[in-house]
Amino acid sequence: MNKLKDNSDQLKIAQWIVFAIIALGILGLVSLFVYLTVTRPLTKLEILLLQFIFLAIGLGIGFGVSFWVRQKAVEKAVKETITPHARSAFRRLASLYDSLLRASTVLRTLNASPAPDDYRIIFSKLDAIVTEQLNTADDALEDWRDIVPEDADELKQKLQSNNGPLDDNE
C-alpha cells in the first residue's frame, strides 16, 4: 500500500513539473512575441502566426484547466460515493473483530474447564458467536452489493454452494 502511495505521489510531482515546464515555455513564447511586437512592426504573416499561436495557447490552457477541474470533480464524487460504504464496511469489520475476541475468550474458558456440562455451555456460546459473525458477514455482503453487485452476487452464490444457504445460519 505504501509503495502504491509513493508511486501516486511521484506521479503527481511529475505532473506538476511537466505543467510548470509547459507554463514557463508558454510564458517565454508570449514574452518573445510581445518583444517582437514592441521593437518592430510585424508583417501580415507574423500577425497571422501570432494569432494562431495565441489561439493554440488559449485552447491548450482551456482544455488543461477543464481537464483538471473535471478530474477534481470526479475524485470528489468518487469519495462522496464510496465513503459511506467504507464506513459501513469498517463497522462490520469492527463487529467481526469484537465477535472473534469473544470467541477467543470462550475458547480459553474451554481449556480451563474440565467439566462436561461446561462444554455444552461453551459450545452453545460458540454457536451463538459464529451465528453472529455469519449475520454480520451477510450484512457486509449486502453493503457491498450497492457498490459491486455482480461481484457480491457471485461471492454469495459461491458461499452458498460451498456451505449451504447463508440466510439460515445453521
Side-chain angles (χ1 to χ4, degrees):
M1 182 72 180
N2 287 339
K3 190 173 192 172
L4 181 63
K5 178 90 170 137
D6 292 341
N7 289 342
S8 175
D9 290 342
Q10 289 175 352
L11 181 62
K12 286 181 181 180
I13 291 171
Q15 287 174 339
W16 279 107
I17 290 172
V18 168
F19 176 72
I21 290 171
I22 291 171
L24 288 174
I26 291 171
L27 183 64
L29 191 60
V30 168
S31 299
L32 173 68
F33 279 107
V34 167
Y35 173 74
L36 289 176
T37 304
V38 170
T39 57
R40 66 178 179 85
L42 298 176
T43 65
K44 289 184 180 183
L45 181 60
E46 289 174 331
I47 291 172
L48 180 65
L49 181 61
L50 181 63
Q51 288 177 349
F52 177 74
I53 289 173
F54 283 142
L55 174 67
I57 290 170
L59 289 175
I61 291 172
F63 284 129
V65 168
S66 67
F67 175 79
W68 181 76
V69 168
R70 185 183 71 225
Q71 184 179 12
K72 292 300 176 188
V74 167
E75 287 174 4
K76 183 180 178 187
V78 166
K79 185 178 270 189
E80 288 174 356
T81 303
I82 296 298
T83 298
H85 297 292
R87 284 188 190 125
S88 176
F90 185 74
R91 283 192 301 268
R92 303 281 186 223
L93 179 63
S95 176
L96 285 171
Y97 185 77
D98 289 342
S99 185
L100 287 171
L101 284 176
R102 285 190 295 277
S104 174
T105 303
V106 169
L107 286 173
R108 275 190 249 122
T109 305
L110 180 64
N111 273 347
S113 176
D117 289 338
D118 291 341
Y119 288 149
R120 288 190 183 144
I121 294 170
I122 290 170
F123 283 130
S124 67
K125 285 181 181 180
L126 284 173
D127 182 48
I129 290 171
V130 168
T131 301
E132 174 188 3
Q133 290 175 351
L134 286 172
N135 288 336
T136 302
D138 285 341
D139 292 341
L141 190 58
E142 288 302 316
D143 291 341
W144 282 108
R145 186 184 310 276
D146 295 339
I147 301 172
V148 284
E150 297 85 15
D151 295 335
D153 289 339
E154 181 182 327
L155 178 60
K156 190 165 187 171
Q157 287 175 355
K158 181 180 175 185
L159 291 172
Q160 284 176 343
S161 68
N162 289 343
N163 302 322
L166 288 176
D167 297 327
D168 295 339
N169 291 332
E170 298 177 6

